[in-house]
PDB file of all heavy atoms in Angstrom:
ATOM      1  N   ASN A 178      39.934 136.030 100.367  1.00 78.00           N
ATOM      2  CA  ASN A 178      41.311 135.867 101.034  1.00 78.00           C
ATOM      3  C   ASN A 178      42.393 135.807  99.929  1.00 78.00           C
ATOM      4  O   ASN A 178      42.171 135.272  98.889  1.00 78.00           O
ATOM      5  CB  ASN A 178      41.292 134.565 101.789  1.00 78.00           C
ATOM      6  CG  ASN A 178      40.506 134.669 103.073  1.00 78.00           C
ATOM      7  OD1 ASN A 178      40.528 135.771 103.663  1.00 78.00           O
ATOM      8  ND2 ASN A 178      39.916 133.522 103.432  1.00 78.00           N
ATOM      9  N   THR A 179      43.521 136.366 100.193  1.00 94.00           N
ATOM     10  CA  THR A 179      44.676 136.184  99.364  1.00 94.00           C
ATOM     11  C   THR A 179      45.249 134.792  99.549  1.00 94.00           C
ATOM     12  O   THR A 179      45.088 134.248 100.669  1.00 94.00           O
ATOM     13  CB  THR A 179      45.676 137.303  99.596  1.00 94.00           C
ATOM     14  OG1 THR A 179      46.065 137.235 101.025  1.00 94.00           O
ATOM     15  CG2 THR A 179      45.126 138.670  99.261  1.00 94.00           C
ATOM     16  N   ARG A 180      45.834 134.296  98.693  1.00 97.00           N
ATOM     17  CA  ARG A 180      46.526 132.925  98.678  1.00 97.00           C
ATOM     18  C   ARG A 180      47.645 132.972  99.615  1.00 97.00           C
ATOM     19  O   ARG A 180      48.520 133.908  99.573  1.00 97.00           O
ATOM     20  CB  ARG A 180      46.935 132.494  97.266  1.00 97.00           C
ATOM     21  CG  ARG A 180      47.446 130.998  97.319  1.00 97.00           C
ATOM     22  CD  ARG A 180      47.374 130.518  95.937  1.00 97.00           C
ATOM     23  NE  ARG A 180      48.088 129.166  95.800  1.00 97.00           N
ATOM     24  CZ  ARG A 180      47.539 128.006  96.190  1.00 97.00           C
ATOM     25  NH1 ARG A 180      46.330 128.032  96.775  1.00 97.00           N
ATOM     26  NH2 ARG A 180      48.213 126.856  96.067  1.00 97.00           N
ATOM     27  N   ILE A 181      47.782 131.996 100.421  1.00 98.00           N
ATOM     28  CA  ILE A 181      48.863 131.846 101.405  1.00 98.00           C
ATOM     29  C   ILE A 181      49.923 130.803 100.830  1.00 98.00           C
ATOM     30  O   ILE A 181      49.383 129.668 100.437  1.00 98.00           O
ATOM     31  CB  ILE A 181      48.473 131.349 102.772  1.00 98.00           C
ATOM     32  CG1 ILE A 181      47.615 132.491 103.404  1.00 98.00           C
ATOM     33  CG2 ILE A 181      49.663 130.984 103.646  1.00 98.00           C
ATOM     34  CD1 ILE A 181      47.144 132.123 104.746  1.00 98.00           C
ATOM     35  N   PHE A 182      51.124 131.192 100.524  1.00 98.00           N
ATOM     36  CA  PHE A 182      52.087 130.290  99.885  1.00 98.00           C
ATOM     37  C   PHE A 182      52.915 129.596 100.847  1.00 98.00           C
ATOM     38  O   PHE A 182      53.022 129.967 102.038  1.00 98.00           O
ATOM     39  CB  PHE A 182      52.868 131.115  98.872  1.00 98.00           C
ATOM     40  CG  PHE A 182      52.130 131.706  97.747  1.00 98.00           C
ATOM     41  CD1 PHE A 182      51.750 132.988  97.750  1.00 98.00           C
ATOM     42  CD2 PHE A 182      51.813 130.950  96.674  1.00 98.00           C
ATOM     43  CE1 PHE A 182      50.986 133.530  96.619  1.00 98.00           C
ATOM     44  CE2 PHE A 182      51.141 131.421  95.563  1.00 98.00           C
ATOM     45  CZ  PHE A 182      50.694 132.707  95.548  1.00 98.00           C
ATOM     46  N   LEU A 183      53.555 128.482 100.356  1.00 98.00           N
ATOM     47  CA  LEU A 183      54.318 127.656 101.208  1.00 98.00           C
ATOM     48  C   LEU A 183      55.563 128.347 101.697  1.00 98.00           C
ATOM     49  O   LEU A 183      55.890 128.290 102.972  1.00 98.00           O
ATOM     50  CB  LEU A 183      54.786 126.440 100.373  1.00 98.00           C
ATOM     51  CG  LEU A 183      55.386 125.268 101.034  1.00 98.00           C
ATOM     52  CD1 LEU A 183      54.351 124.527 101.871  1.00 98.00           C
ATOM     53  CD2 LEU A 183      56.095 124.222 100.120  1.00 98.00           C
ATOM     54  N   SER A 184      56.200 129.100 100.887  1.00 98.00           N
ATOM     55  CA  SER A 184      57.476 129.807 101.427  1.00 98.00           C
ATOM     56  C   SER A 184      57.706 131.033 100.447  1.00 98.00           C
ATOM     57  O   SER A 184      58.550 131.035  99.629  1.00 98.00           O
ATOM     58  CB  SER A 184      58.674 128.828 101.379  1.00 98.00           C
ATOM     59  OG  SER A 184      59.861 129.531 101.845  1.00 98.00           O
ATOM     60  N   ALA A 185      56.874 132.054 100.690  1.00 96.00           N
ATOM     61  CA  ALA A 185      56.991 133.207  99.788  1.00 96.00           C
ATOM     62  C   ALA A 185      58.253 134.068 100.160  1.00 96.00           C
ATOM     63  O   ALA A 185      58.732 134.035 101.321  1.00 96.00           O
ATOM     64  CB  ALA A 185      55.695 134.074  99.941  1.00 96.00           C
ATOM     65  N   LEU A 433      57.145 129.648 114.089  1.00 98.00           N
ATOM     66  CA  LEU A 433      55.995 129.116 113.386  1.00 98.00           C
ATOM     67  C   LEU A 433      55.996 127.637 113.529  1.00 98.00           C
ATOM     68  O   LEU A 433      55.002 126.995 113.813  1.00 98.00           O
ATOM     69  CB  LEU A 433      56.059 129.554 111.955  1.00 98.00           C
ATOM     70  CG  LEU A 433      54.884 129.010 111.112  1.00 98.00           C
ATOM     71  CD1 LEU A 433      53.571 129.473 111.634  1.00 98.00           C
ATOM     72  CD2 LEU A 433      55.065 129.542 109.635  1.00 98.00           C
ATOM     73  N   TYR A 437      53.126 125.019 115.151  1.00 98.00           N
ATOM     74  CA  TYR A 437      52.675 123.741 114.599  1.00 98.00           C
ATOM     75  C   TYR A 437      52.865 122.619 115.597  1.00 98.00           C
ATOM     76  O   TYR A 437      51.998 121.722 115.690  1.00 98.00           O
ATOM     77  CB  TYR A 437      53.434 123.470 113.282  1.00 98.00           C
ATOM     78  CG  TYR A 437      52.980 124.239 112.108  1.00 98.00           C
ATOM     79  CD1 TYR A 437      53.911 124.990 111.362  1.00 98.00           C
ATOM     80  CD2 TYR A 437      51.636 124.211 111.621  1.00 98.00           C
ATOM     81  CE1 TYR A 437      53.499 125.653 110.173  1.00 98.00           C
ATOM     82  CE2 TYR A 437      51.199 124.872 110.540  1.00 98.00           C
ATOM     83  CZ  TYR A 437      52.228 125.625 109.797  1.00 98.00           C
ATOM     84  OH  TYR A 437      51.805 126.302 108.672  1.00 98.00           O
ATOM     85  N   LEU A 481      43.165 122.400 103.080  1.00 98.00           N
ATOM     86  CA  LEU A 481      43.867 123.696 103.122  1.00 98.00           C
ATOM     87  C   LEU A 481      43.794 124.370 101.765  1.00 98.00           C
ATOM     88  O   LEU A 481      43.660 125.536 101.617  1.00 98.00           O
ATOM     89  CB  LEU A 481      45.286 123.579 103.709  1.00 98.00           C
ATOM     90  CG  LEU A 481      45.442 123.199 105.082  1.00 98.00           C
ATOM     91  CD1 LEU A 481      46.865 122.911 105.461  1.00 98.00           C
ATOM     92  CD2 LEU A 481      44.726 124.177 106.010  1.00 98.00           C
ATOM     93  N   ALA A 482      43.881 123.530 100.708  1.00 98.00           N
ATOM     94  CA  ALA A 482      43.777 124.045  99.344  1.00 98.00           C
ATOM     95  C   ALA A 482      42.499 124.777  99.095  1.00 98.00           C
ATOM     96  O   ALA A 482      42.365 125.766  98.414  1.00 98.00           O
ATOM     97  CB  ALA A 482      43.980 123.000  98.275  1.00 98.00           C
ATOM     98  N   HIS A 484      40.904 126.378 101.220  1.00 98.00           N
ATOM     99  CA  HIS A 484      41.013 127.616 101.908  1.00 98.00           C
ATOM    100  C   HIS A 484      42.058 128.505 101.338  1.00 98.00           C
ATOM    101  O   HIS A 484      42.502 129.558 101.923  1.00 98.00           O
ATOM    102  CB  HIS A 484      41.324 127.360 103.414  1.00 98.00           C
ATOM    103  CG  HIS A 484      40.130 126.791 104.138  1.00 98.00           C
ATOM    104  ND1 HIS A 484      39.732 125.426 104.048  1.00 98.00           N
ATOM    105  CD2 HIS A 484      39.249 127.362 105.033  1.00 98.00           C
ATOM    106  CE1 HIS A 484      38.792 125.212 104.792  1.00 98.00           C
ATOM    107  NE2 HIS A 484      38.456 126.331 105.424  1.00 98.00           N
ATOM    108  N   ASP A 485      42.557 128.189 100.102  1.00 98.00           N
ATOM    109  CA  ASP A 485      43.594 129.026  99.508  1.00 98.00           C
ATOM    110  C   ASP A 485      44.886 129.068 100.296  1.00 98.00           C
ATOM    111  O   ASP A 485      45.557 130.126 100.337  1.00 98.00           O
ATOM    112  CB  ASP A 485      43.147 130.407  99.224  1.00 98.00           C
ATOM    113  CG  ASP A 485      42.803 130.673  97.755  1.00 98.00           C
ATOM    114  OD1 ASP A 485      43.154 129.839  96.941  1.00 98.00           O
ATOM    115  OD2 ASP A 485      42.252 131.698  97.460  1.00 98.00           O
ATOM    116  N   ILE A 486      45.182 127.942 100.897  1.00 98.00           N
ATOM    117  CA  ILE A 486      46.468 127.751 101.613  1.00 98.00           C
ATOM    118  C   ILE A 486      47.288 126.690 101.003  1.00 98.00           C
ATOM    119  O   ILE A 486      46.825 125.566 100.853  1.00 98.00           O
ATOM    120  CB  ILE A 486      46.213 127.430 103.063  1.00 98.00           C
ATOM    121  CG1 ILE A 486      45.342 128.568 103.762  1.00 98.00           C
ATOM    122  CG2 ILE A 486      47.501 127.094 103.895  1.00 98.00           C
ATOM    123  CD1 ILE A 486      44.865 128.175 105.099  1.00 98.00           C
ATOM    124  N   GLU A 487      48.479 127.046 100.529  1.00 98.00           N
ATOM    125  CA  GLU A 487      49.289 126.075  99.792  1.00 98.00           C
ATOM    126  C   GLU A 487      49.998 125.097 100.706  1.00 98.00           C
ATOM    127  O   GLU A 487      50.603 125.560 101.736  1.00 98.00           O
ATOM    128  CB  GLU A 487      50.320 126.903  98.967  1.00 98.00           C
ATOM    129  CG  GLU A 487      51.187 125.940  98.083  1.00 98.00           C
ATOM    130  CD  GLU A 487      52.305 126.627  97.328  1.00 98.00           C
ATOM    131  OE1 GLU A 487      52.772 127.742  97.776  1.00 98.00           O
ATOM    132  OE2 GLU A 487      52.781 126.153  96.278  1.00 98.00           O
ATOM    133  N   THR A 488      50.021 123.877 100.299  1.00 98.00           N
ATOM    134  CA  THR A 488      50.946 122.881 101.042  1.00 98.00           C
ATOM    135  C   THR A 488      51.602 122.063  99.822  1.00 98.00           C
ATOM    136  O   THR A 488      51.290 122.334  98.661  1.00 98.00           O
ATOM    137  CB  THR A 488      50.181 121.936 101.854  1.00 98.00           C
ATOM    138  OG1 THR A 488      49.192 121.128 101.088  1.00 98.00           O
ATOM    139  CG2 THR A 488      49.354 122.670 102.931  1.00 98.00           C
ATOM    140  N   ARG A 489      52.468 121.199 100.288  1.00 98.00           N
ATOM    141  CA  ARG A 489      53.094 120.385  99.144  1.00 98.00           C
ATOM    142  C   ARG A 489      53.522 119.022  99.777  1.00 98.00           C
ATOM    143  O   ARG A 489      54.093 118.973 100.895  1.00 98.00           O
ATOM    144  CB  ARG A 489      54.344 121.099  98.612  1.00 98.00           C
ATOM    145  CG  ARG A 489      55.045 120.422  97.373  1.00 98.00           C
ATOM    146  CD  ARG A 489      56.191 121.241  96.929  1.00 98.00           C
ATOM    147  NE  ARG A 489      57.241 121.205  97.988  1.00 98.00           N
ATOM    148  CZ  ARG A 489      58.261 122.125  97.971  1.00 98.00           C
ATOM    149  NH1 ARG A 489      58.325 123.031  97.098  1.00 98.00           N
ATOM    150  NH2 ARG A 489      59.229 122.099  98.913  1.00 98.00           N
ATOM    151  N   ASN A 521      54.398 119.213 103.559  1.00 98.00           N
ATOM    152  CA  ASN A 521      55.028 120.501 103.910  1.00 98.00           C
ATOM    153  C   ASN A 521      53.947 121.630 104.140  1.00 98.00           C
ATOM    154  O   ASN A 521      53.186 121.835 103.199  1.00 98.00           O
ATOM    155  CB  ASN A 521      56.010 120.945 102.698  1.00 98.00           C
ATOM    156  CG  ASN A 521      57.226 120.008 102.655  1.00 98.00           C
ATOM    157  OD1 ASN A 521      57.729 119.490 103.712  1.00 98.00           O
ATOM    158  ND2 ASN A 521      57.609 119.703 101.427  1.00 98.00           N
ATOM    159  N   LEU A 522      54.063 122.177 105.244  1.00 98.00           N
ATOM    160  CA  LEU A 522      53.088 123.243 105.674  1.00 98.00           C
ATOM    161  C   LEU A 522      53.680 124.655 105.411  1.00 98.00           C
ATOM    162  O   LEU A 522      54.875 124.798 105.293  1.00 98.00           O
ATOM    163  CB  LEU A 522      52.804 123.064 107.180  1.00 98.00           C
ATOM    164  CG  LEU A 522      52.237 121.726 107.555  1.00 98.00           C
ATOM    165  CD1 LEU A 522      52.193 121.620 109.086  1.00 98.00           C
ATOM    166  CD2 LEU A 522      50.818 121.491 107.034  1.00 98.00           C
ATOM    167  N   PRO A 523      52.763 125.649 105.246  1.00 98.00           N
ATOM    168  CA  PRO A 523      53.270 126.993 105.042  1.00 98.00           C
ATOM    169  C   PRO A 523      54.339 127.360 106.123  1.00 98.00           C
ATOM    170  O   PRO A 523      53.999 127.312 107.329  1.00 98.00           O
ATOM    171  CB  PRO A 523      52.037 127.805 105.125  1.00 98.00           C
ATOM    172  CG  PRO A 523      50.949 126.863 104.688  1.00 98.00           C
ATOM    173  CD  PRO A 523      51.312 125.560 105.210  1.00 98.00           C
ATOM    174  N   SER A 524      55.432 127.859 105.699  1.00 98.00           N
ATOM    175  CA  SER A 524      56.517 127.999 106.563  1.00 98.00           C
ATOM    176  C   SER A 524      57.279 129.401 106.487  1.00 98.00           C
ATOM    177  O   SER A 524      58.320 129.710 107.136  1.00 98.00           O
ATOM    178  CB  SER A 524      57.623 126.903 106.392  1.00 98.00           C
ATOM    179  OG  SER A 524      57.014 125.638 106.556  1.00 98.00           O
ATOM    180  N   GLY A 525      56.772 130.242 105.556  1.00 98.00           N
ATOM    181  CA  GLY A 525      57.523 131.490 105.288  1.00 98.00           C
ATOM    182  C   GLY A 525      57.616 132.498 106.394  1.00 98.00           C
ATOM    183  O   GLY A 525      56.726 132.636 107.168  1.00 98.00           O
ATOM    184  N   SER A 527      57.573 135.496 105.883  1.00 97.00           N
ATOM    185  CA  SER A 527      56.715 136.683 105.573  1.00 97.00           C
ATOM    186  C   SER A 527      55.387 136.483 106.089  1.00 97.00           C
ATOM    187  O   SER A 527      54.452 137.441 105.863  1.00 97.00           O
ATOM    188  CB  SER A 527      56.789 136.907 104.029  1.00 97.00           C
ATOM    189  OG  SER A 527      56.257 135.671 103.394  1.00 97.00           O
ATOM    190  N   LEU A 528      55.048 135.368 106.592  1.00 97.00           N
ATOM    191  CA  LEU A 528      53.649 135.129 107.121  1.00 97.00           C
ATOM    192  C   LEU A 528      53.419 135.993 108.404  1.00 97.00           C
ATOM    193  O   LEU A 528      53.928 135.618 109.464  1.00 97.00           O
ATOM    194  CB  LEU A 528      53.352 133.663 107.408  1.00 97.00           C
ATOM    195  CG  LEU A 528      53.337 132.736 106.182  1.00 97.00           C
ATOM    196  CD1 LEU A 528      53.240 131.259 106.589  1.00 97.00           C
ATOM    197  CD2 LEU A 528      52.184 133.035 105.371  1.00 97.00           C
ATOM    198  N   ARG A 529      52.562 136.952 108.278  1.00 96.00           N
ATOM    199  CA  ARG A 529      52.187 137.768 109.481  1.00 96.00           C
ATOM    200  C   ARG A 529      51.071 137.097 110.221  1.00 96.00           C
ATOM    201  O   ARG A 529      50.582 136.065 109.937  1.00 96.00           O
ATOM    202  CB  ARG A 529      51.893 139.128 109.053  1.00 96.00           C
ATOM    203  CG  ARG A 529      53.003 139.865 108.264  1.00 96.00           C
ATOM    204  CD  ARG A 529      54.333 139.758 108.916  1.00 96.00           C
ATOM    205  NE  ARG A 529      55.425 140.329 108.116  1.00 96.00           N
ATOM    206  CZ  ARG A 529      56.701 140.095 108.284  1.00 96.00           C
ATOM    207  NH1 ARG A 529      57.048 139.219 109.209  1.00 96.00           N
ATOM    208  NH2 ARG A 529      57.640 140.695 107.530  1.00 96.00           N
ATOM    209  N   GLU A 530      50.761 137.763 111.378  1.00 97.00           N
ATOM    210  CA  GLU A 530      49.831 137.071 112.317  1.00 97.00           C
ATOM    211  C   GLU A 530      48.432 136.819 111.678  1.00 97.00           C
ATOM    212  O   GLU A 530      47.885 135.788 112.007  1.00 97.00           O
ATOM    213  CB  GLU A 530      49.616 138.009 113.518  1.00 97.00           C
ATOM    214  CG  GLU A 530      48.798 137.433 114.621  1.00 97.00           C
ATOM    215  CD  GLU A 530      49.179 136.105 115.158  1.00 97.00           C
ATOM    216  OE1 GLU A 530      50.419 135.923 115.227  1.00 97.00           O
ATOM    217  OE2 GLU A 530      48.360 135.228 115.428  1.00 97.00           O
ATOM    218  N   ASP A 531      47.917 137.564 110.811  1.00 97.00           N
ATOM    219  CA  ASP A 531      46.562 137.359 110.175  1.00 97.00           C
ATOM    220  C   ASP A 531      46.642 136.147 109.382  1.00 97.00           C
ATOM    221  O   ASP A 531      45.770 135.323 109.393  1.00 97.00           O
ATOM    222  CB  ASP A 531      46.127 138.601 109.457  1.00 97.00           C
ATOM    223  CG  ASP A 531      47.128 139.029 108.331  1.00 97.00           C
ATOM    224  OD1 ASP A 531      48.213 138.714 108.411  1.00 97.00           O
ATOM    225  OD2 ASP A 531      46.575 139.732 107.427  1.00 97.00           O
ATOM    226  N   ALA A 532      47.725 135.951 108.585  1.00 98.00           N
ATOM    227  CA  ALA A 532      47.902 134.817 107.746  1.00 98.00           C
ATOM    228  C   ALA A 532      48.115 133.521 108.599  1.00 98.00           C
ATOM    229  O   ALA A 532      47.435 132.455 108.278  1.00 98.00           O
ATOM    230  CB  ALA A 532      49.150 135.007 106.753  1.00 98.00           C
ATOM    231  N   GLN A 533      48.832 133.681 109.646  1.00 98.00           N
ATOM    232  CA  GLN A 533      49.128 132.518 110.528  1.00 98.00           C
ATOM    233  C   GLN A 533      47.850 132.152 111.137  1.00 98.00           C
ATOM    234  O   GLN A 533      47.439 130.856 111.338  1.00 98.00           O
ATOM    235  CB  GLN A 533      50.103 132.839 111.541  1.00 98.00           C
ATOM    236  CG  GLN A 533      51.523 132.989 111.020  1.00 98.00           C
ATOM    237  CD  GLN A 533      52.595 133.063 112.125  1.00 98.00           C
ATOM    238  OE1 GLN A 533      52.417 132.548 113.199  1.00 98.00           O
ATOM    239  NE2 GLN A 533      53.710 133.762 111.786  1.00 98.00           N
ATOM    240  N   ARG A 534      46.995 133.082 111.515  1.00 98.00           N
ATOM    241  CA  ARG A 534      45.657 132.760 112.221  1.00 98.00           C
ATOM    242  C   ARG A 534      44.750 131.993 111.181  1.00 98.00           C
ATOM    243  O   ARG A 534      44.127 131.020 111.572  1.00 98.00           O
ATOM    244  CB  ARG A 534      45.060 134.077 112.659  1.00 98.00           C
ATOM    245  CG  ARG A 534      43.777 133.839 113.467  1.00 98.00           C
ATOM    246  CD  ARG A 534      43.133 135.164 114.004  1.00 98.00           C
ATOM    247  NE  ARG A 534      44.109 135.957 114.623  1.00 98.00           N
ATOM    248  CZ  ARG A 534      44.565 137.157 114.136  1.00 98.00           C
ATOM    249  NH1 ARG A 534      44.090 137.579 112.956  1.00 98.00           N
ATOM    250  NH2 ARG A 534      45.467 137.896 114.818  1.00 98.00           N
ATOM    251  N   ARG A 535      44.867 132.456 109.971  1.00 98.00           N
ATOM    252  CA  ARG A 535      43.988 131.670 108.929  1.00 98.00           C
ATOM    253  C   ARG A 535      44.413 130.249 108.797  1.00 98.00           C
ATOM    254  O   ARG A 535      43.569 129.327 108.647  1.00 98.00           O
ATOM    255  CB  ARG A 535      44.128 132.402 107.537  1.00 98.00           C
ATOM    256  CG  ARG A 535      43.195 133.484 107.234  1.00 98.00           C
ATOM    257  CD  ARG A 535      43.412 134.021 105.818  1.00 98.00           C
ATOM    258  NE  ARG A 535      43.265 133.011 104.818  1.00 98.00           N
ATOM    259  CZ  ARG A 535      43.757 133.069 103.625  1.00 98.00           C
ATOM    260  NH1 ARG A 535      44.454 134.200 103.230  1.00 98.00           N
ATOM    261  NH2 ARG A 535      43.661 132.070 102.698  1.00 98.00           N
ATOM    262  N   ILE A 536      45.766 130.057 108.788  1.00 98.00           N
ATOM    263  CA  ILE A 536      46.317 128.687 108.661  1.00 98.00           C
ATOM    264  C   ILE A 536      45.832 127.830 109.900  1.00 98.00           C
ATOM    265  O   ILE A 536      45.287 126.763 109.721  1.00 98.00           O
ATOM    266  CB  ILE A 536      47.814 128.710 108.584  1.00 98.00           C
ATOM    267  CG1 ILE A 536      48.323 129.385 107.332  1.00 98.00           C
ATOM    268  CG2 ILE A 536      48.273 127.307 108.589  1.00 98.00           C
ATOM    269  CD1 ILE A 536      49.742 129.714 107.321  1.00 98.00           C
ATOM    270  N   PHE A 537      45.998 128.344 111.103  1.00 98.00           N
ATOM    271  CA  PHE A 537      45.754 127.544 112.306  1.00 98.00           C
ATOM    272  C   PHE A 537      44.327 127.377 112.502  1.00 98.00           C
ATOM    273  O   PHE A 537      43.877 126.346 112.977  1.00 98.00           O
ATOM    274  CB  PHE A 537      46.482 128.180 113.484  1.00 98.00           C
ATOM    275  CG  PHE A 537      47.986 127.941 113.561  1.00 98.00           C
ATOM    276  CD1 PHE A 537      48.861 128.747 112.898  1.00 98.00           C
ATOM    277  CD2 PHE A 537      48.406 126.794 114.105  1.00 98.00           C
ATOM    278  CE1 PHE A 537      50.172 128.495 112.805  1.00 98.00           C
ATOM    279  CE2 PHE A 537      49.765 126.480 114.032  1.00 98.00           C
ATOM    280  CZ  PHE A 537      50.627 127.393 113.422  1.00 98.00           C
ATOM    281  N   ASP A 538      43.466 128.368 112.135  1.00 98.00           N
ATOM    282  CA  ASP A 538      41.968 128.146 112.222  1.00 98.00           C
ATOM    283  C   ASP A 538      41.534 127.071 111.272  1.00 98.00           C
ATOM    284  O   ASP A 538      40.723 126.259 111.635  1.00 98.00           O
ATOM    285  CB  ASP A 538      41.282 129.502 111.880  1.00 98.00           C
ATOM    286  CG  ASP A 538      41.399 130.538 112.974  1.00 98.00           C
ATOM    287  OD1 ASP A 538      41.864 130.190 114.120  1.00 98.00           O
ATOM    288  OD2 ASP A 538      41.090 131.673 112.782  1.00 98.00           O
ATOM    289  N   ALA A 539      42.081 127.122 110.037  1.00 98.00           N
ATOM    290  CA  ALA A 539      41.652 126.116 109.071  1.00 98.00           C
ATOM    291  C   ALA A 539      42.072 124.728 109.462  1.00 98.00           C
ATOM    292  O   ALA A 539      41.322 123.702 109.293  1.00 98.00           O
ATOM    293  CB  ALA A 539      42.235 126.468 107.650  1.00 98.00           C
TER     294      ALA A 539
END
Side-chain angles (χ1 to χ4, degrees):
N178 287 326
T179 57
R180 183 163 174 74
I181 293 176
F182 293 98
L183 191 69
S184 182
L433 182 55
Y437 282 126
L481 293 176
H484 289 76
D485 253 349
I486 298 171
E487 182 185 27
T488 62
R489 186 179 66 200
N521 290 321
L522 300 170
S524 306
S527 61
L528 291 173
R529 303 312 179 198
E530 184 56 36
D531 57 340
Q533 292 189 29
R534 191 178 306 112
R535 270 182 59 196
I536 295 166
F537 284 90
D538 286 349

